[in-house]
Amino acid sequence: MKWIIASVCVATIALASCGAAQAKGCIKGAVVGGAAGHMAGHGKLGAAAGCVIGHHEANRAEANKNSGQQPSGGQK
C-alpha cells in the first residue's frame, strides 16, 4: 500500500512541475483512438496512437492556415 501511495505522490509532483503541454488535437484524437482501440481490445494503444495522429493533423491544419497568409515583409 505504501508503494502505491508513494508512486501516486511522485507522479503528481512530476505532472505538477512540468510546463504547459500543447495538446492541440491530442485530446480529441485520444478519445477517438481510445474508443476504436477499445473495440479492438487495445484501448490504451489506440488512445496513444490517436493522440499522436490528432496532434499531427492539428499541426498540419495550422501550417496550411498560416501558409495562406502573406508574410509581412515590413513594407509600408
Side-chain angles (χ1 to χ4, degrees):
M1 185 66 172
K2 289 181 183 179
W3 174 259
I4 294 171
I5 293 172
S7 298
V8 169
C9 289
V10 169
T12 302
I13 291 170
L15 288 174
S17 66
C18 67
Q22 294 183 6
K24 275 187 184 175
C26 181
I27 303 300
K28 182 179 178 182
V31 170
V32 173
H38 175 71
M39 295 302 222
H42 300 285
K44 292 178 185 174
L45 183 63
C51 177
V52 171
I53 293 169
H55 188 71
H56 172 72
E57 291 294 321
N59 284 341
R60 189 170 73 175
E62 184 73 25
N64 288 341
K65 186 174 87 171
N66 288 339
S67 68
Q69 299 174 350
Q70 293 182 352
S72 60
Q75 297 176 348
K76 293 183 181 179

